[in-house]
Amino acid sequence: MVEQTITIEQVLADHNLLQAWYKVRANKGCAGIDRETTADFESHLMSGLALLRDEVIYRTYRPQPLLRVHVPKKSGHGLRSLSIPAVRDRILHTAVALALTPLFEAEFEECSYAYRPGRSGDMAVNRVQRLRDEGFTWVADIDIHSFFDEIDHSRLLTEVEKLVIDPAILRLIRIWIAADVVDGNHRFRLHKGVPQGSPLSPLLANLYLDQLDEAMLDKDLRLVRFADDFLILCRRKKAADKALEFTAEVLESLRLRLNPAKTQVIDFKHGFRFLGVEFVRSLAIKAKYPAAVQLSFDLQTLAEIPVQLPGPTEKTKQQVESSRPKSEMVLAFAEAGVEAGDFPEQIEQVMPLEAPVDEKEIKKTPAELDPRLRTLYVLEHGYVLAKESERFVLKKRGEIIQRIPAIKVDQIMIFGNAQITTQTMDFCLQTKIPIYLLSGHGRFYGVIAGFSTDPVLLHRDQFNRAQDPGFCVDLAREFIRGKIANCRVILLRYSRRRNLPYCRKAAGRLQAILSKLGSVTELDSLRGHEGTAARLYFGALSSSLDPDWRFNGRTRQPPGDPVNAMLSYGYTLLYYNIYSFLRSRGLNPHVGFLHPIRAGHPALVSDMIEEFRAVIVDTVVLKLVFNRRVTPVQFTSSDSAGRGCLLSSRARKLFIRELEKKMNAPIQHPVSGLQLDYRRCLEHQIYHLASVIQGRKSQYKAMVLR
């Protein structure tokens, strides 16, 4: 699976630092140890942010000690200790949290509900009720003793380093979790735990407990976790007792322990309380107070301390205390000022679109559209992809190489002689995860996908439209216009950047072809113009590349040189992305309008790929070639008939990484104006095509870059 990389440059980008500042200011938190307030910092905002950025870049940044304050617990018994960063440090904490949230969120399990975007205590309660109705009536109700103060730094950093590779970000996290704390006249350093009051702490806490979540899922246990307060639901008491014993073992491995005062094995008949809800038999009764507080946390929240801690009435205290979870961690963050409305709900969503994109929805954010397709690439020969519980497992010679939660996979790419078990195929068919089969060097063989009759009416419209010559010509003309226009944009860009006269001349000739398309009324004539444009385009590129690449124009099946090898490989990967989106939208990939229908050929995929080849794949190839990120020596030419020029293993992995980076790059859609990435642009165009096929839109408009 291609991994997302977060860099310190993304953390320190102007928009990210400003967003972090706005969050700090909105929380109206108090000053830290340096006594600088948010108003003080705002008086020199831009210079202050610039100085903060420079300190990190030049490694002169040193955080202020944390200010330890003690506030009464909501229960009225004892004090809770909170550690407050200085305002400038809170801004940087927040900037890191904003950048890392999507990366960390992708690793978390479905059973976790606290401090996560779009999740809440109500969702956890609903999950408990569903499991109860399915017969899981015995419960191990578990709480962790002093969880937040007992987190082991070395184990935490090990987990962070699995996801974060940028040394500058890792350095910041290390110095923050081992910060100095000033408590009155006493100064000491944190050697374990993470500071309650830091915006990063909820994110790090969930990452630490993700190991617990994974261990429970590996045992096929039904876990519902809200911070350090969680339930394991079982069908029988004996199973619940064993689950409790297993939990104690896992916590011990994490250098944590159970809180016996808040841990029990009980059934629904006797009843118990979880997240402010009384579960008794088939009932789930919320706290008996009119002003119950709903908790819904998000990792991007800033853990701020108000300038003056609120002083609610005794009645309000009782209402809040009764409705909130009894988790020490949750109470600590609530008292530290973490509120559900401090940040937007959306990050990278995991649910698919329910409706086509409409131009009326032009103001929606990208996260309200479609998610990126999360792809599991199996590139190594001899690998076996199997399934255990709700996870995919990669094995080699019987040894487990990696476990991947199935919920985090949208599609699977199998290259070469890797194998896939029948249990895995059965699961993928049921859950509609397509499996693409390719040769080791990227030749597309086919796809394993289930059969669905749900989009039959759309299929009917699609077949009817394919029988209409006028509709086919109009649609094909726009596909070809998009392709030629985008090729022209690429040539113009490179003619400006690298002073390539052949590209500039070819761009002028492509413009002449574009001017003729409006009068063409036959598909064969359109295809003729497309072929002429392709020869001009690749001819210009051929004249612009160094001779050692041996690129003399486009050759296929097999590719005869390194550039063609990369183009063919990239087009194949782009091809299956479009195939997946077409299937998910309910269109038949085999019924095209520009390319004729023939057995075994997904003609509509060939139609849709045209306007995206140059702007996605070709730009990646040219970037690698012109910047010498790859060299001709990383390719091999086979004497075997039909194999042609092949990428080395290292070149393949580099190319996939760069292509994924391109697919996820932000762009403003030139037609709709939406802020999307290239992969979302693919789906946006497919939804647009479906609306034209269904007659809801009169004309298809290709996506042409400006």
Side-chain angles (χ1 to χ4, degrees), residues 492-561:
L492 289 174
R493 285 181 180 177
Y494 277 94
S495 70
R496 289 193 297 267
R497 294 174 184 173
R498 295 181 173 270
N499 191 26
L500 302 175
Y502 294 104
C503 290
R504 186 164 51 253
K505 182 178 179 181
R509 297 181 67 180
L510 291 184
Q511 181 59 46
I513 294 175
L514 285 171
S515 65
K516 299 176 182 177
L517 293 182
S519 60
V520 178
T521 59
E522 299 291 336
L523 282 176
D524 285 342
S525 298
L526 286 172
R527 294 169 186 144
H529 285 302
E530 177 194 17
T532 301
R535 286 190 294 274
L536 287 170
Y537 171 70
F538 286 115
L541 295 182
S542 172
S543 301
S544 304
L545 299 183
D546 291 339
D548 56 348
W549 288 103
R550 309 189 317 277
F551 180 64
N552 296 314
R554 183 76 177 112
T555 60
R556 312 168 181 82
Q557 300 179 354
D561 56 79

Side-chain angles (χ1 to χ4, degrees), residues 644-659:
C645 187
L646 306 176
L647 289 80
S648 67
S649 176
R650 182 177 179 182
R652 285 201 307 275
K653 291 175 182 177
L654 171 63
F655 186 83
I656 288 176
R657 185 164 62 247
E658 291 301 313
L659 184 64

Side-chain angles (χ1 to χ4, degrees), residues 378-392:
V378 183
L379 297 170
E380 302 292 335
H381 296 303
Y383 272 23
V384 176
L385 183 64
K387 176 185 169 290
E388 293 178 1
S389 185
E390 298 297 311
R391 292 167 175 263
F392 293 118

